[in-house]
Amino acid sequence: MAREPRSGSQLPVTPTTLADVAERAGVSRQTVSNAVNNPDLLRPDTLERVRQTIAELGYSPNRAARNLRTRTSSLIGLRFTPAQEGTANAMMDRFVHSLVEASDEAGYHVLLFPADDEDPVGGYDNLLRSTAVDAFVVTDTYLGNPQAAWLSQQRAPFVAFGRPWDDDVARHVWVDVDGAAGTRLATQHLIDRGHTRIAWIGWRKDSPIGEDRRSGWLTTMHANGLSTTGLASRVEDVVHSGAEAAAVLLDESTPTAFVCASDTLAMGVLHTLWIRQLAPGRDIAVVGFDDSQVAQVFPVGLTSVRQPLEDVAVEIVRTLRLLLSHQPVEARGVLLEPTLVIRESS
């Protein structure tokens, strides 16, 4: 004998299905599917009607079922390396946050996996073998790094954040920020403020990113008829190296301003100025690169080149969607322009 429901109890609510949305909106099931997965295929008025119906009915696509049918995971793999000790740079934290947001808007999630310097492709290999991710974002494109070349050999879809500096025949897709353009902005800003003795503190010569940033300082100085003799130093990207380089340059070359390859090195310069009781911006101007949180909260305020990491993330995800849907990619490489955030240090 069937029992009546107890007073106050509720019958289970059946979830809204794709068919329910199609019937209410007066369209086919395929049209609803396109509205969710391929909105570019629909006319704007049709897309708006379907989306309004989805919102009214509270429809939530069953992504797990779709992934089983299409054998996709909707996951993007990213090898994550912690920030180096002794530096002020947390740029990758900002990039990862931007990538997570851009991926979520496109219907993907980011899967972080740890870096292993002894086996730089091991994590990629494991995820590929288990089909755990649909694609990768590669951030380590420095000289000699094997990841991009290995993924290309495996024909795995990926986009690199950074140019293939050491591989002229590389055909993979990349997005990068024009570092030379950033240091040109920084150097010209200091020249416009009346400085003629502008020193450069950058990274070792085997860093193509550092050399790219150095070229912006060098070409701008020469374009303005200014000498660079004795005004450049190459060091490790840690605060104490920046401080030591600044001390030597101040003693030997008497610059009135510094352009640095990173905020980390700029913090070293500021440390030396503090020891010598020189005021940043008044006695000696300082410009960093990356517009880190340290640059923003430093008491004086550090002028710094800001990379458009939010735009980088959006462009990477856009390109990944093209690759995963087997659509043509317009350009192999996209180079984005940075900006200069001016504060009291310059």
Side-chain angles (χ1 to χ4, degrees), residues 12-212:
V13 178
T14 303
T16 301
T17 66
L18 182 144
D20 295 332
V21 175
E23 182 179 358
R24 172 74 71 87
V27 297
S28 68
R29 296 185 184 186
Q30 184 59 51
T31 298
V32 177
S33 178
N34 286 339
V36 174
N37 302 311
N38 299 291
D40 296 340
L41 298 178
L42 300 182
R43 293 186 327 205
D45 58 332
T46 302
L47 178 61
E48 178 59 30
R49 184 166 80 254
V50 175
R51 283 180 169 173
Q52 185 175 349
T53 305
I54 288 174
E56 290 173 354
L57 297 180
Y59 172 63
S60 179
N62 189 334
R63 295 192 181 276
R66 186 191 71 182
N67 291 347
L68 284 173
R69 290 194 305 271
T70 60
R71 297 194 176 185
T72 61
S73 64
S74 297
L75 292 176
I76 297 171
L78 175 67
R79 180 179 185 261
F80 188 71
T81 305
Q84 180 184 350
E85 295 289 336
T87 70
N89 189 9
M91 184 198 76
M92 283 306 300
D93 290 346
R94 186 175 138 228
F95 169 69
V96 170
H97 180 77
S98 300
L99 183 65
V100 168
E101 286 192 334
S103 299
D104 183 64
E105 291 179 4
Y108 291 90
H109 297 288
V110 177
L111 175 66
L112 299 179
F113 60 99
D116 184 351
D117 293 335
E118 295 183 1
D119 186 9
V121 300
Y124 295 92
D125 191 30
N126 291 336
L127 291 174
L128 274 181
R129 289 178 181 276
S130 63
T131 63
V133 298
D134 294 339
F136 293 96
V137 174
V138 177
T139 58
D140 298 320
T141 59
Y142 54 81
L143 191 68
N145 189 288
Q147 296 161 8
W150 185 85
L151 287 169
S152 295
Q153 291 172 359
Q154 305 300 315
R155 297 185 178 181
F158 75 98
V159 176
F161 177 16
R163 282 162 273 182
W165 297 99
D166 59 334
D167 190 351
D168 294 334
V169 297
R171 303 306 304 165
H172 68 263
V173 184
W174 54 266
V175 180
D176 203 1
V177 177
D178 192 341
T183 48
R184 284 197 298 270
L185 285 173
T187 308
Q188 191 60 54
H189 162 68
L190 294 171
I191 293 172
D192 293 343
R193 299 288 295 172
H195 295 279
T196 58
R197 300 284 295 169
I198 303 172
W200 167 258
I201 301 181
W203 302 327
R204 300 292 186 188
K205 200 169 185 177
D206 62 357
S207 167
I209 298 174
E211 290 301 283
D212 182 54

Side-chain angles (χ1 to χ4, degrees), residues 278-296:
L278 296 171
R282 186 188 69 195
D283 300 323
I284 302 289
V286 185
V287 180
F289 201 111
D290 284 335
D291 194 33
S292 62
Q293 289 182 326
V294 172
Q296 299 171 33

Side-chain angles (χ1 to χ4, degrees), residues 279-329:
R282 186 188 69 195
D283 300 323
I284 302 289
V286 185
V287 180
F289 201 111
D290 284 335
D291 194 33
S292 62
Q293 289 182 326
V294 172
Q296 299 171 33
V297 303
F298 187 76
V300 173
L302 174 63
T303 296
S304 186
V305 177
R306 183 175 180 85
Q307 300 196 56
L309 298 182
E310 296 80 9
D311 296 337
V312 170
V314 169
E315 184 64 28
I316 285 176
V317 172
R318 186 190 72 83
T319 306
L320 280 175
R321 291 187 71 181
L322 292 174
L323 292 175
L324 291 171
S325 59
H326 306 289
Q327 298 182 53
V329 178

